[in-house]
C-alpha cells in the first residue's frame, strides 16, 4: 500500500467519512489517543495528527485507544486488502488464532510459504506494524469489546481474549489505558453469575448490507436441525473440537452491525467463533471498491446498482461446506439439502432436547463420515466414494482447508481428491476458503445469469474469458449473477 497522504486523510477526518472507518486511524499527539475517522470528538489540528493504516500501528507508536469511538469495534480493516496476497492470508490465519498459544512468526511464515523476514517486511510495508503487534492488538481490542458489551467476569474476559493470566491482563490494560479494566466497564452492567451465560456482541461492517439476500441464500440451504432462518434471524448449532453450542444472528441496520448471541461452554473459543461469523457473513468486504471495479463491465453495472449490499456468504465449517458441495453436484437445491439432512441424522450428533426444538442436530465430523456406511443414503456409488475420500483426507490432514498460497494451489489441492472437479473445487474455495477470486464458471446459474433474459448462454470457456476483467473479485461477480438468475427462474443447480 502506498504511504497515507496526510492531507487526504485529514479531509476524511474532517468529514467523518464512514467509508474509511476501519481503513485509517488517527493518532493525536496532543492527547496520546488514537481514533477512528468517525470519532465524534472535536477534530484536532492537522499538526497534531498522525495517520495509520491499522490500529496496531497506532498502538505500536505509543497511542492508546479512544474510549469514545472505541477502535475495537471498527469494521474489519480493509486497507491492506488487495495490496498483498500474503498479508491478506496472514491476517486470516491470525484471526483464526495463528499467533496464539506457542505459535511463532516463523511458523506462521512457514504456513504461508514465505520467509519470516519477508513476512515481517510485508507487514511493516502494508500495515505499519509487525505480525506480533497485530495479534496483540487484536487480543486487547477483543477483550475491550467484551468488557464494554458483555457481563462476563474479568477473569473470563482475560481467558476469552487469550491472555495467559489475569495478572497479565490487568497489567496490559493498566499500561495501555492508564486504568484497570474494571473501570472501562459501562456503569450499570451487572456481572454475569455464570461463566456459561450467553454472550451478545455487535459485529460492525462497512457500507451497505443486503441482509434479506444473505438470509435467503442461507435459508434455502439450511440443514434441518442444524440451521434455521426464522423471523429475520439466522441460528445454527456450532461445534469446535468436542464442544457444542448455538449461535443466533440478527441485523441492526441503523448501527451497521450484526448482533450475535453466542451460547458456548468454553469462553476461550469466543475469538474463533467471532472470526468464523465474520467470514460466514462476509463482514470485512470493501463493497465500495469491489462495486466500483465490477461496475466497469456494462453487464454487471445494473446488477450491482440493484443490489449494492450483496455479499458473498462463507460457511461455518469448511468440511461441512465441502460435503454439501459434493452432494450438490448435478442435483437440485432441494435434493442436495435433503441428502445433507439424511447424512446429519444418520451420522451426526443429537443435542439434548431443550427450549430450542429447531436446533437439535450436529453435523458429522470427518472421522464420523470416514467410517460411515453411505450405501443407504440415496447416493450414487461415485458420490459416496467421493464423500468417503473427502472425509478420510480431512481426518488425516487437519490443514486440508487452511488458506493456500494462491487460489490455483487451493483448487489443485481439492481437485486431487477423487470425485472433485473444477466446479466443486472452485465452489469450496469460494465459500470455505473465502477466496474472493474463485469462480465456478461451469455453474448453470452463472451462465444463465450472464445471458440475461432471452440472451445466448455462454459456454464455461466464454464465461471465463469474460470474467478475466472481473479479477480479483470474481466471487462477487458470481454472487450477482446467481442473484440475477434466481430472480428470473427457480434455482435448480446451486445445491451446495
Amino acid at each position: 500500500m502506498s504511504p497515507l497522504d496526510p492531507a487526504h486523510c485529514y479531509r476524511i477526518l474532517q468529514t467523518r467519512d464512514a467509508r474509511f472507518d476501519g481503513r485509517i486511524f488517527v493518532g493525536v499527539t496532543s492527547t496520546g489517543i488514537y481514533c477512528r475517522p468517525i470519532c465524534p470528538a472535536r477534530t484536532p489540528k492537522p499538526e497534531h495528527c498522525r495517520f495509520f493504516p491499522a490500529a496496531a500501528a497506532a498502538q505500536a507508536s505509543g497511542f492508546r485507544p479512544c474510549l469514545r469511538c472505541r477502535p475495537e469495534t471498527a469494521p474489519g480493516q480493509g486497507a491492506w486488502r488487495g495490496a498483498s496476497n500474503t498479508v491478506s492470508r496472514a491476517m486470516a490465519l491470525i484471526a483464526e488464532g495463528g499467533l496464539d498459544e506457542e505459535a511463532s512468526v516463523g511458523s506462521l511464515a512457514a504456513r504461508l510459504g514465505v520467509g519470516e523476514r519477508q513476512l515481517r517486511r510485508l507487514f511493516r510495508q502494508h500495515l505499519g506494524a509487525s505480525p506480533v503487534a497485530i495479534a496483540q492488538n487484536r487480543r486487547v481490542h477483543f477483550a475491550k469489546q467484551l468488557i464494554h458489551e458483555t457481563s462476563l467476569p474479568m477473569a473470563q474476559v482475560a481467558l476469552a481474549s487469550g491472555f495467559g493470566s489475569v495478572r497479565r491482563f490487568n497489567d496490559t490494560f493498566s499500561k495501555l489505558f492508564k486504568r484497570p479494566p474494571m473501570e472501562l466497564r459501562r456503569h450499570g452492567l451487572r456481572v454475569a453469575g455464570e461463566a456459561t451465560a450467553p454472550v451478545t456482541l455487535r459485529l460492525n461492517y462497512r457500507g451497505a448490507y443486503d441482509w434479506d439476500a444473505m438470509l435467503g441464500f442461507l435459508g434455502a440451504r439450511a440443514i434441518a436441525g442444524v440451521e434455521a432462518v426464522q423471523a429475520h434471524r439466522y441460528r445454527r448449532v456450532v461445534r469446535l473440537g468436542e464442544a457444542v453450542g448455538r449461535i443466533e444472528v440478527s441485523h441492526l441496520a441503523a448501527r451497521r452491525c450484526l448482533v450475535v448471541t453466542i451460547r458456548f461452554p468454553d469462553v476461550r473459543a469466543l475469538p474463533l467463533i467471532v472470526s468464523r461469523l465474520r467470514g460466514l457473513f462476509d463482514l470485512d468486504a470493501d463493497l465500495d471498491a469491489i462495486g466500483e471495479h465490477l461496475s466497469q463491465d456494462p453487464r454487471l453495472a445494473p446488477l450491482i446498482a440493484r443490489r449494492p449490499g450483496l455479499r458473498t456468504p462463507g460457511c461455518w465449517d469448511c468440511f461441512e461446506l465441502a460435503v454439501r458441495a459434493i452432494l450438490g453436484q448435478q442435483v437440485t437445491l432441494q435434493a442436495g439439502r435433503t441428502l445433507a439432512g439424511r447424512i446429519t441424522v444418520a451420522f451426526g450428533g443429537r443435542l439434548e432436547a431443550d427450549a430450542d426444538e429447531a436446533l437439535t442436530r450436529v453435523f458429522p465430523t470427518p472421522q464420523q463420515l470416514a467410517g460411515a456406511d453411505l450405501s443407504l443414503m440415496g447416493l450414487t456409488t461415485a458420490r459416496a466414494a467421493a464423500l468417503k475420500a473427502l472425509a478420510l483426507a480431512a481426518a488425516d490432514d487437519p490443514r486440508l482447508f487452511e488458506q493456500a498460497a494462491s487460489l490455483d494451489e487451493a483448487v489443485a489441492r481439492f481437485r486431487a481428491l477423487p470425485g472433485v472437479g473444477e466446479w466443486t473445487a472452485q465452489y469450496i474455495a469460494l465459500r470455505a476458503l473465502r477466496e474472493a477470486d474463485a469462480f465456478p464458471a461451469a455453474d448453470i446459474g452463472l451462465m444463465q445469469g450472464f445471458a440475461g433474459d432471452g440472451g445466448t448462454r455462454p459456454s464455461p470457456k466464454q464465461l471465463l474469458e469474460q470474467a478475466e476483467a472481473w479479477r480479483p473479485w470474481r466471487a462477487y461477480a458470481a454472487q450477482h449473477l446467481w442473484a440475477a438468475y434466481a430472480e428470473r427462474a427457480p434455482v435448480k443447480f446451486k445445491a451446495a
Side-chain angles (χ1 to χ4, degrees):
M1 189 188 79
S2 59
L4 296 177
D5 180 350
H8 183 202
C9 290
Y10 192 74
R11 286 195 296 271
I12 292 170
L13 182 63
Q14 286 179 307
T15 57
R16 293 181 170 81
D17 193 334
R19 295 175 301 169
F20 294 88
D21 189 17
R23 301 174 67 181
I24 65 170
F25 295 84
V26 55
V28 184
T29 57
S30 58
T31 63
I33 290 172
Y34 73 91
C35 301
R36 298 157 66 181
I38 62 168
C39 185
R42 186 175 63 181
T43 304
K45 295 180 178 179
E47 59 267 27
H48 294 158
C49 295
R50 291 181 59 192
F51 297 97
F52 303 91
Q59 200 160 300
S61 296
F63 294 95
R64 63 183 186 275
C66 175
L67 297 180
R68 292 189 67 181
C69 66
R70 297 178 55 203
E72 75 276 5
T73 63
Q77 295 176 34
W80 49 270
R81 293 185 178 274
S84 168
N85 197 38
T86 300
V87 172
S88 173
R89 295 173 192 281
M91 290 287 284
L93 290 174
I94 290 173
E96 293 271 343
L99 282 180
D100 292 349
E101 304 296 336
E102 301 299 322
S104 65
V105 177
S107 63
L108 178 66
R111 292 169 69 178
L112 294 163
V114 299
E116 180 178 344
R117 180 177 295 180
Q118 181 185 2
L119 184 63
R120 292 181 185 277
R121 179 184 62 79
L122 288 171
F123 265 69
R124 288 289 180 189
Q125 176 185 347
H126 295 289
L127 290 171
S130 69
V132 170
I134 293 290
Q136 290 175 341
N137 180 263
R138 167 180 165 269
R139 190 177 299 124
V140 170
H141 275 194
F142 187 66
K144 189 165 176 283
Q145 185 177 10
L146 292 177
I147 291 171
H148 275 283
E149 298 183 15
T150 78
S151 57
L152 285 174
M154 288 299 162
Q156 294 290 311
V157 171
L159 191 63
S161 49
F163 285 90
S165 67
V166 175
R167 180 176 180 178
R168 183 181 171 196
F169 167 70
N170 288 331
D171 287 346
T172 298
F173 270 75
S174 295
K175 290 177 181 177
L176 183 59
F177 296 99
K178 310 303 181 186
R179 66 191 73 184
M182 182 58 75
E183 290 189 14
L184 298 175
R185 175 151 275 170
R186 294 199 314 265
H187 294 300
L189 188 63
R190 292 190 345 181
V191 175
E194 305 177 38
T196 56
V199 172
T200 299
L201 295 170
R202 291 180 176 180
L203 307 184
N204 291 350
Y205 58 82
R206 185 188 305 106
Y209 200 110
D210 193 334
W211 181 242
D212 289 339
M214 178 65 72
L215 285 189
F217 188 95
L218 296 176
R221 291 155 180 78
I223 302 174
V226 177
E227 305 168 276
V229 173
Q230 299 170 334
H232 300 287
R233 297 175 299 163
Y234 173 80
R235 298 183 296 140
R236 73 160 288 147
V237 176
V238 296
R239 186 214 305 260
L240 291 174
E242 298 300 319
V244 177
R246 295 184 176 92
I247 58 98
E248 178 179 302
V249 186
S250 58
H251 186 216
L252 189 57
R255 297 291 296 272
R256 290 189 177 182
C257 70
L258 301 188
V259 180
V260 302
T261 299
I262 303 166
R263 295 173 175 84
F264 202 78
D266 187 355
V267 294
R268 293 172 296 182
L270 286 177
L272 180 55
I273 291 173
V274 168
S275 175
R276 289 201 182 184
L277 289 176
R278 293 197 71 88
L280 169 58
F281 292 99
D282 197 21
L283 296 182
D284 296 329
D286 188 345
L287 290 191
D288 290 336
I290 295 170
E292 181 179 353
H293 175 73
L294 296 180
S295 293
Q296 295 175 32
D297 189 315
R299 286 182 180 266
L300 292 182
L303 304 184
I304 293 165
R306 195 179 310 152
R307 303 180 184 85
L310 190 66
R311 298 181 182 241
T312 301
C315 69
W316 167 259
D317 180 81
C318 294
F319 174 69
E320 175 188 311
L321 189 281
V323 168
R324 295 168 67 161
I326 291 175
L327 293 176
Q329 296 169 348
Q330 301 301 316
V331 300
T332 66
L333 179 61
Q334 184 56 49
R337 181 180 178 182
T338 298
L339 290 172
R342 286 180 191 167
I343 288 174
T344 301
V345 170
F347 308 113
R350 182 176 178 85
L351 299 181
E352 294 294 330
D354 61 10
D356 197 342
E357 297 179 358
L359 301 179
T360 58
R361 298 285 180 180
V362 186
F363 195 82
T365 64
Q367 292 77 11
Q368 288 171 323
L369 274 193
D373 179 4
L374 300 173
S375 61
L376 300 178
M377 293 293 102
L379 303 172
T380 64
T381 302
R383 194 155 300 161
L387 284 183
K388 183 77 71 172
L390 171 69
L392 287 170
D396 291 341
D397 183 7
R399 293 187 172 180
L400 178 64
F401 298 105
E402 194 172 272
Q403 286 278 341
S406 67
L407 170 61
D408 290 342
E409 182 181 311
V411 170
R413 180 197 303 168
F414 297 133
R415 289 209 62 177
L417 298 172
V420 175
E422 181 70 14
W423 178 90
T424 307
Q426 290 280 351
Y427 190 84
I428 295 171
L430 191 157
R431 290 197 58 201
L433 300 192
R434 308 292 304 133
E435 288 283 358
D437 205 35
F439 193 72
D443 187 272
I444 297 294
L446 292 187
M447 292 185 284
Q448 293 281 27
F450 183 79
D453 290 319
T456 301
R457 193 175 83 188
S459 67
K461 182 180 179 180
Q462 290 171 328
L463 186 56
L464 268 180
E465 291 173 353
Q466 181 69 30
E468 278 299 306
W470 305 339
R471 288 182 181 273
W473 290 302
R474 294 185 302 178
Y476 290 88
Q479 200 65 37
H480 281 281
L481 294 177
W482 274 325
Y485 176 51
E487 267 190 348
R488 298 195 310 271
V491 182
K492 295 182 178 180
F493 295 96
K494 295 190 299 165

